[in-house]
Amino acid sequence: MIAAWLGVAVLGLNGSGATILAAAMALSSTAVALQVLQDRGEASSRHGRATFSVLLFQDLAVVVFLMLTPLLAQSQSSQAVGGQEQVKMFLLQIGQAIVKACVAIAAIIAGGRVAFRPIYKRIAKTGNNEIFAATTLLVVLGTSMLTQKFGLSMELGAFIAGLLLAETEYALQIESDIAPYKGLLLGLFFMTVGMEFSMTLLIQQWRAILVSMAVLLVGKTAVVALTGPFFGLSRIASIRAGLMLAPGGEFAFVLLGDAAAKAILASALCSQMYLVVALGMALTPMLGALGNALDDKFENKDVLKLQPSEGEVDDLRGHVIVAGFGRVGQMICQLLSERLIPFTALDVRSDRVAKGRDMEMPVYFGDSGSAAVLHSIGASKAACAVVVLDTPGANYRCVWAIKKHYPNVKVYVRARDVAHGLNLERAGASAVVPETLEPSLQLAAAVLQEMQLPPEEVSSTIDDYRRKHLEELSELAFVSGSSLGYGYEKSKSIDVEA
């Protein structure tokens, strides 16, 4: 709103134009910022996670902005009528457009939820990745054409298609199959935008463009730097997140293009803003380097130093991969180290990785759900993997990535409960251990001792409960076809009971 007011006051824009310009300049580049963070190994750092959170919120806000553009265009076209008639016509048009947009979006979402799962289930049975990718592109294009038929933007349709596909159980496979096309289509998009640039305009108005770009970068960085500490970020992390979010984004080109086509903004102003956004995006890697320099000077942390260097793990054979270096991961690594069993551990928190390095353990910074990171620690030569990450979603993603890219590696994973364990089994886990049993038994044993029960009775009670629980898990595993029950085979469970 502040930017819109400045647009009205400084540039002499009307309310509609100032609103669209403010929305376009407020957005940041998801594609460029995330790529820079990944290249620098900072995607899972504090400022990297904060940047991703803001980018995700912006991507959701784009839906509102894309709906807002045609509504503002209608309001602007009704300004020729004066007085009460203008107000009535404006409210009528806005109401009709909102109802039409809501009905269209609701119909597309309802139809997609009903149709997508059966379609992809049938395609998955064929085992043909090309058909999978082609169907995904068809869904995106079809949804875009539907939204265009309803008077909404094609970009909104593509965004809705992505949201619907993300809700299906085939989301990870879809993401993997369309990855080769993502860079190509993004390149075509930027090429199309580049054809709109005017080098003559850049030469003629370079001062105004540079000043506008400086105001944009400094202003957005200052906003994030001031608000970041209220959300638990350090001052340096806030500044680094602000530097990554400061340049404009690819959706700015879409909004400005629609605004120019609908005569909300002048084409000359949009051309000038194209250059401001493009030059700012080109500076994103340098802004990332500037943030890293500030971090080195004031906090002295460099995530790249915590990653495995080239050739560092080439000699590993038959080792264990430990995904997660929290409390459980640290205990597992200590046990493996005492038995001289080779292992490598991964975590996305630099403080945990630094702690492991202080203990002289092979702990590295990296996302254990990334195929590239798994390859860098020799996953193809590993004997097995132990997944003990902090969240159920991270555990599932890691198990899925390992079994997809390295199907011969056995995966042992900690589950929050039985239901979560069954999902992990379907993702490919070799054995699943519910995390609630042993801590509960230890706590119960302490309580029983406090109640003055003899140690022998406490031990037998705990053992009986453990045996009964394993027996129930074994029966559940037999019914569900899973290996729940600590990976014990049925024969071993019978031996324990005997």
Side-chain angles (χ1 to χ4, degrees), residues 298-318:
F298 294 102
E299 292 195 358
N300 196 25
K301 294 178 182 177
D302 189 356
V303 174
L304 290 176
K305 297 175 183 177
L306 302 178
Q307 294 179 322
S309 59
E310 187 175 354
E312 191 173 355
V313 295
D314 288 349
D315 296 333
L316 285 176
R317 296 287 190 282

Side-chain angles (χ1 to χ4, degrees), residues 56 210 381:
L56 180 61
L210 292 181
K381 299 172 287 186

Side-chain angles (χ1 to χ4, degrees), residues 23-206:
M25 293 298 103
L27 297 174
S28 305
S29 176
T30 302
V32 177
L34 290 184
Q35 187 63 48
V36 171
L37 288 172
Q38 290 172 2
D39 291 343
R40 299 185 62 82
E42 299 170 354
S44 299
S45 61
R46 292 292 301 278
H47 73 279
R49 293 196 299 270
T51 300
F52 176 77
S53 300
V54 175
L55 291 172
L56 180 61
F57 179 80
Q58 290 182 355
D59 287 344
L60 295 175
V62 165
V63 178
V64 179
F65 295 151
L66 292 175
M67 292 178 58
L68 193 62
T69 304
L71 300 183
L72 292 175
Q74 291 179 10
S75 69
Q76 189 159 284
S77 64
S78 65
Q79 289 178 359
V81 184
Q84 294 182 350
E85 286 297 322
Q86 177 184 355
V87 176
K88 290 181 180 179
M89 183 176 295
F90 171 73
L91 293 177
L92 179 62
Q93 290 177 340
I94 290 293
Q96 290 176 344
I98 291 176
V99 171
K100 187 178 180 181
C102 291
V103 171
I105 293 173
I108 292 172
I109 291 176
R113 285 182 172 175
V114 172
F116 285 174
R117 277 190 172 88
I119 292 173
Y120 277 98
K121 184 177 181 180
R122 196 176 191 89
I123 294 173
K125 291 180 180 179
T126 66
N128 192 316
N129 292 338
E130 287 76 13
I131 296 179
F132 222 91
T135 303
T136 302
L137 294 176
L138 178 62
V139 166
V140 173
L141 292 174
T143 309
S144 301
M145 292 180 65
L146 282 175
T147 54
Q148 189 182 40
K149 287 288 185 182
F150 283 101
L152 302 172
S153 67
M154 296 186 71
E155 293 84 359
L156 177 60
F159 194 87
I160 294 174
L163 292 178
L164 291 173
L165 293 176
E167 292 181 352
T168 68
E169 58 269 35
Y170 306 101
L172 293 175
Q173 183 63 43
I174 292 171
E175 182 180 0
S176 175
D177 288 341
I178 67 173
Y181 305 100
K182 186 164 60 175
L184 176 63
L185 295 175
L186 191 62
L188 288 174
F189 170 75
F190 282 116
M191 184 183 72
T192 305
V193 173
M195 294 173 66
E196 300 290 332
F197 289 169
S198 172
M199 294 303 297
T200 303
L201 180 64
L202 176 61
I203 296 172
Q204 291 176 346
Q205 302 186 15
W206 64 270

Side-chain angles (χ1 to χ4, degrees), residues 376-391:
S376 69
I377 59 170
S380 60
K381 299 172 287 186
C384 64
V386 183
V387 182
V388 286
L389 297 169
D390 293 334
T391 63

